[in-house]
Amino acid sequence: MLGTQTSLSTWSQERNMKWLVLLGLVALSECIVEIPLMKVNVMQETLNEKSLLNNFLKQYAYRLAQNSTRNSKMAFVPMRNFLDTAYVGNIAIGTPPQQFRVVFDTGSSDLWVPSNFCTSPACYSHITFKYWESSTYRHTTKPFEIAYGSGRIKGHLAYDTIQIGNLVSTDQPFGLSLEEYGFNGLPFDGILGLNYPNNSILGAIPIFDNLKKQGAISEPIFAFYLSKGTVNGSVLMLGGVDKAYYKGQLNWIPLSRVGDWRINLDHISMKGKLIGCSGGCEALVDTGTSLINGPTRLVTNIQRLIGAMPLGPKHYVSCSTINILPSIIFTINGINYTLPAQAYILKNSQGGCFSTFKGGTEVFKHRETWVLGDIFLRLYFSVYDRGNNRIGLAQAA
């Protein structure tokens, strides 16, 4: 759910590309494109009613929440749930701090926000960074270009002090966009990537790595709790985990390849029958993606099995059938993670009920690949352990 000097929608060399999947960015690794488009498309469909976005932005103005904990090297960062399609939190850049809304994205590694010199229409609806107001700003002329499935950005690399919750990263590299295409009307100003450093398109050390390097956090771990249906309550935890946000125990899953938040799936089933991943497959765990993405052929079969009919870019079911539709089970490392219809069917602002499965991941030619986005992660609290290269999942509280 970003590449220096690469064109945002080109799949050339499959290493410098990234596709936007519903809300965030997705990073690539090891000559493999991470995911197909979808994020921005779905978000823009949801935002057709401008009043929804305007009301959201007015009601939840920029306030840099600094939720301290007893452990000064751990931070709780509140996030706001925008219509179950985006989770947005605040950060501050510069001295004195300028505040921005960002998506915290495990699918990418870079941080970027709009520059005050951005000339694109998208930048006029977002907060832009005024570098001359910051005494800690350090300028560079190094350009970057990031391509997404539904847009692209161009800009230059910069350095400044960045605050997330009560944590501070000094002389942090980040991107300032000068041109943006495809980001009009979205409820966030930029993206903060939480993937591994090898996926950085800017060629810069990611902010999480800098926080650890500078001693701001004691443990190289972070976690997400995503609220269900309510605006408030979502939390990003940096440097530790609060057990109050999940039930039972964390089930630890080793990464299928170090350097990306990617795991092995055993299989996907419905009513006892395999419907995907029949020979084992991989999945990206992506907080910047709203939907669940998979190979188009298999997703089309899932739509058929649940009776979802295409209408425009989405597949719809009768809302009266939600309570009788079967659950879909993702078996990971021998443990079943159940996704009931109440989770994988969402209702739009007109009252229509649509499936949150989407195709397109056949671009991963090496192996069958799925993307577990917010639809999955609302049910399962997720922990990202950089120190041990593993992901922990548990039932969300």
Side-chain angles (χ1 to χ4, degrees):
M1 87 107 271
L2 305 164
T4 3
Q5 300 179 354
T6 62
S7 139
L8 214 106
S9 270
T10 59
W11 291 99
S12 60
Q13 300 180 4
E14 293 191 349
R15 163 70 175 151
N16 296 329
M17 287 324 307
K18 301 198 92 168
W19 287 84
L20 193 61
V21 184
L22 204 306
L23 190 207
L25 310 170
V26 184
L28 18 138
S29 71
E30 301 278 316
C31 298
I32 292 177
V33 178
E34 292 303 339
I35 312 177
L37 72 164
M38 226 112 234
K39 277 185 176 170
V40 161
N41 282 353
V42 175
M43 174 65 72
Q44 288 173 336
E45 291 162 17
T46 305
L47 294 180
N48 281 337
E49 298 181 34
K50 294 289 186 180
S51 59
L52 290 176
L53 176 63
N54 292 335
N55 291 341
F56 177 84
L57 297 182
K58 288 178 182 177
Q59 185 176 1
Y60 299 96
Y62 290 83
R63 291 186 300 274
L64 183 62
Q66 300 182 35
N67 289 15
S68 301
T69 66
R70 294 178 183 177
N71 178 1
S72 62
K73 292 191 174 184
M74 179 179 173
F76 283 65
V77 184
M79 296 182 294
R80 291 173 291 280
N81 176 358
F82 181 72
L83 300 177
D84 284 343
T85 59
Y87 289 86
V88 181
N90 287 357
I91 65 170
I93 303 177
T95 309
Q98 300 175 41
Q99 297 184 43
F100 297 88
R101 296 185 183 93
V102 298
V103 171
F104 297 101
D105 178 28
T106 59
S108 64
S109 300
D110 295 304
L111 166 64
W112 64 267
V113 297
S115 165
N116 190 63
F117 292 98
C118 178
T119 57
S120 302
C123 294
Y124 298 142
S125 62
H126 294 123
I127 298 298
T128 57
F129 183 69
K130 302 174 179 62
Y131 75 84
W132 62 90
E133 294 184 359
S134 174
S135 62
T136 47
Y137 175 80
R138 184 158 67 88
H139 184 74
T140 83
T141 57
K142 180 182 178 181
F144 73 90
E145 181 174 350
I146 299 171
Y148 305 100
S150 300
R152 59 191 174 91
I153 64 170
K154 290 183 179 181
H156 63 86
L157 181 69
Y159 293 78
D160 211 330
T161 297
I162 296 177
Q163 182 178 353
I164 310 177
N166 58 328
L167 304 178
V168 176
S169 175
T170 59
D171 204 34
Q172 173 64 44
F174 68 106
L176 284 173
S177 66
L178 296 173
E179 298 178 36
E180 295 186 11
Y181 305 95
F183 289 87
N184 298 57
L186 299 181
F188 56 87
D189 306 311
I191 305 290
L192 190 151
L194 289 168
N195 209 340
Y196 281 71
N198 56 286
N199 289 311
S200 171
I201 302 303
L202 298 176
I205 181 171
I207 190 166
F208 183 77
D209 292 78
N210 238 1
L211 290 171
K212 183 66 175 73
K213 180 181 178 182
Q214 295 176 9
I217 55 176
S218 55
E219 298 295 331
I221 196 168
F222 59 91
F224 280 87
Y225 173 81
L226 304 183
S227 65
K228 311 170 188 69
T230 59
V231 172
N232 296 311
S234 302
V235 176
L236 163 63
M237 303 164 206
L238 294 163
V241 176
D242 187 339
K243 294 182 178 180
Y245 286 91
Y246 66 89
K247 302 174 184 177
Q249 64 179 16
L250 283 168
N251 301 309
W252 292 105
I253 307 156
L255 299 183
S256 59
R257 61 181 71 187
V258 175
D260 204 3
W261 296 118
R262 184 192 301 255
I263 58 176
N264 287 316
L265 288 185
D266 301 342
H267 52 259
I268 304 170
S269 59
M270 176 191 291
K271 296 197 291 190
K273 296 182 179 180
L274 294 182
I275 59 172
C277 195
S278 58
C281 61
E282 286 185 322
L284 291 150
V285 184
D286 188 357
T287 59
T289 296
S290 298
L291 307 182
I292 292 180
N293 292 74
T296 300
R297 177 181 59 85
L298 297 175
V299 168
T300 298
N301 185 52
I302 291 175
Q303 310 288 30
R304 181 184 62 81
L305 291 172
I306 64 175
M309 302 300 293
L311 181 61
K314 297 179 182 177
H315 283 70
Y316 287 84
V317 301
S318 169
C319 295
S320 63
T321 66
I322 293 178
N323 290 331
I324 60 174
L325 286 175
S327 295
I328 295 176
I329 298 173
F330 293 79
T331 303
I332 306 171
N333 209 24
I335 296 175
N336 291 336
Y337 295 87
T338 301
L339 197 66
Q342 292 83 353
Y344 68 75
I345 301 294
L346 291 184
K347 184 175 288 190
N348 63 21
S349 57
Q350 289 80 39
C353 294
F354 63 95
S355 164
T356 55
F357 284 89
K358 199 81 175 179
T361 64
E362 54 272 12
V363 296
F364 299 98
K365 297 180 179 166
H366 69 295
R367 193 178 181 191
E368 180 184 330
T369 303
W370 292 75
V371 183
L372 302 180
D374 298 339
I375 295 298
F376 182 88
L377 297 172
R378 270 193 285 276
L379 294 180
Y380 298 102
F381 179 83
S382 56
V383 182
Y384 304 80
D385 184 353
R386 281 284 303 278
N388 295 292
N389 299 308
R390 60 182 183 172
I391 291 176
L393 295 175
Q395 184 179 351

